[in-house]
């Protein structure tokens, strides 16, 4: 079974600075998708960014970008120009391209943004 | 509004009781996934239904069961409740299944918060 590991339970960043959240995963599949979800205090799960494993180019969404290293099975999220509204739990997720497309989540990283 | 509707939003009950959580997926989505999130923890995958058929089971207790109805809404039944079952239960929906469908995002509902006293 696929596993997703987020080794940083908590991270802190100064407003306007850059922070990187780490994620590694374990899989024997060749095709899959990786996601970062954000969960603010409202508890709503919000998609931040998505990466297809067959694409070498790292995904970017405005201030959010990823560093996808397929051989190392690493998928980190970089948040640039951090804003107070970025404070939340961030979950890395793996989704199989085959079969049931089940999505598995890491334990999460709590990001604090300091003004 | 994500388009995924979960009811009730909050539920308080006693140990030993049984509750039913309901989920209406986003229009056009055939897959429904249930997740459990205990306090300050990650999301644990419980079960996945596609077009009325159970497709995969995760860490779902035998006291828990689910089904997806012909109109595609889903219900998660939790019985013989214990204090440790207190959690936020998320439903998520998605389009399609199999090759190529993994790119589709899961759209989450707002969750049902269950408190067992």
């Amino acid at each position: 079974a696929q596993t997703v590991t987020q080794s940083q339970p908590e991270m802190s960043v100064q407003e306007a600075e850059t922070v990187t959240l780490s994620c590694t995963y374990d899989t024997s599949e060749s095709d899959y998708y990786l996601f970062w979800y954000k969960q603010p205090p409202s508890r709503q799960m919000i998609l931040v960014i998505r990466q297809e494993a067959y694409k070498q180019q790292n995904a970017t969404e405005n201030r959010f970008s990823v560093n996808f290293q397929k051989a190392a099975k690493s998928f980190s999220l970089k948040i640039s120009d951090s804003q107070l509204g970025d404070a939340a739990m961030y979950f890395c997720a793996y989704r199989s391209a085959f079969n049931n497309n089940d999505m598995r989540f890491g334990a999460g990283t709590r990001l604090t943004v300091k003004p | 509004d994500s388009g995924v509707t979960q009811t009730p939003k909050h539920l308080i009950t006693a140990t030993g009781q049984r509750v039913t959580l309901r989920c209406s997926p986003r229009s056009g989505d055939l897959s429904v996934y249930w997740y459990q999130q205990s306090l300050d923890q990650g999301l644990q995958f419980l079960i996945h239904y596609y077009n009325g058929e159970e497709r995969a089971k995760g860490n779902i207790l035998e006291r828990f069961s689910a089904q997806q109805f012909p109109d595609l809404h889903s219900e998660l039944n939790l019985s013989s409740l214990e204090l440790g079952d207190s959690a936020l239960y998320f439903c998520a929906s998605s389009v399609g299944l199999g090759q190529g469908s993994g790119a589709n995002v899961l759209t989450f509902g707002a969750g049902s918060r269950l408190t067992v006293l």
Side-chain angles (χ1 to χ4, degrees):
Chain A
Q2 297 81 20
T3 57
V4 180
T5 302
Q6 292 179 251
S7 60
Q8 306 155 316
E10 296 184 356
M11 290 285 285
S12 178
V13 63
Q14 204 71 34
E15 193 176 6
E17 296 295 309
T18 296
V19 64
T20 299
L21 308 184
S22 301
C23 173
T24 59
Y25 57 94
D26 184 28
T27 184
S28 58
E29 297 179 331
S30 58
D31 196 12
Y32 48 87
Y33 302 86
L34 298 166
F35 302 81
W36 279 96
Y37 277 85
K38 169 184 177 181
Q39 187 180 43
S42 68
R43 295 293 196 170
Q44 179 71 51
M45 294 290 288
I46 302 166
L47 176 70
V48 175
I49 200 165
R50 170 180 56 190
Q51 173 79 41
E52 292 89 345
Y54 62 85
K55 287 187 178 180
Q56 292 186 341
Q57 185 175 6
N58 290 324
T60 299
E61 289 286 342
N62 300 314
R63 297 182 296 107
F64 298 87
S65 62
V66 299
N67 183 4
F68 173 49
Q69 301 290 327
K70 190 171 184 179
K73 296 181 182 175
S74 171
F75 181 61
S76 61
L77 174 69
K78 185 172 81 171
I79 306 174
S80 303
D81 186 25
S82 297
Q83 300 176 0
L84 295 178
D86 295 333
M89 282 287 287
Y90 286 82
F91 292 99
C92 177
Y94 171 102
R95 191 173 196 200
S96 171
F98 306 102
N99 300 321
N100 298 314
N101 306 129
D102 296 332
M103 183 175 282
R104 306 301 171 110
F105 289 82
T109 296
R110 182 177 300 282
L111 178 66
T112 302
V113 181
K114 297 179 180 178
Chain B
D1 183 5
S2 68
V4 178
T5 304
Q6 288 189 248
T7 57
K9 284 186 168 43
H10 301 277
L11 188 56
I12 301 174
T13 188
T15 54
Q17 296 298 305
R18 172 190 171 95
V19 299
T20 297
L21 309 180
R22 181 188 170 101
C23 169
S24 293
R26 197 178 56 160
S27 178
D29 287 357
L30 299 179
S31 273
V32 170
Y33 301 80
W34 285 97
Y35 289 87
Q36 178 193 55
Q37 184 180 31
S38 299
L39 186 64
D40 288 335
Q41 293 188 12
L43 281 77
Q44 297 295 318
F45 169 65
L46 295 179
I47 198 162
H48 168 207
Y49 278 85
Y50 176 78
N51 202 21
E53 178 184 341
E54 180 186 303
R55 297 293 303 199
K57 272 187 174 181
N59 301 320
I60 188 167
L61 300 172
E62 286 191 6
R63 299 183 287 108
F64 296 0
S65 65
Q67 54 184 329
Q68 186 181 26
F69 295 86
D71 66 353
L72 300 178
H73 91 272
S74 178
E75 293 181 356
L76 179 66
N77 301 297
L78 316 174
S79 61
S80 302
L81 285 168
E82 302 175 359
L83 296 178
D85 296 328
S86 295
L88 190 57
Y89 291 85
F90 281 106
C91 166
S93 72
S94 181
V95 172
L97 190 71
Q99 184 72 31
S101 296
N104 301 318
V105 300
L106 262 61
T107 301
F108 283 80
S112 292
R113 180 170 294 283
L114 172 66
T115 302
V116 182
L117 300 176

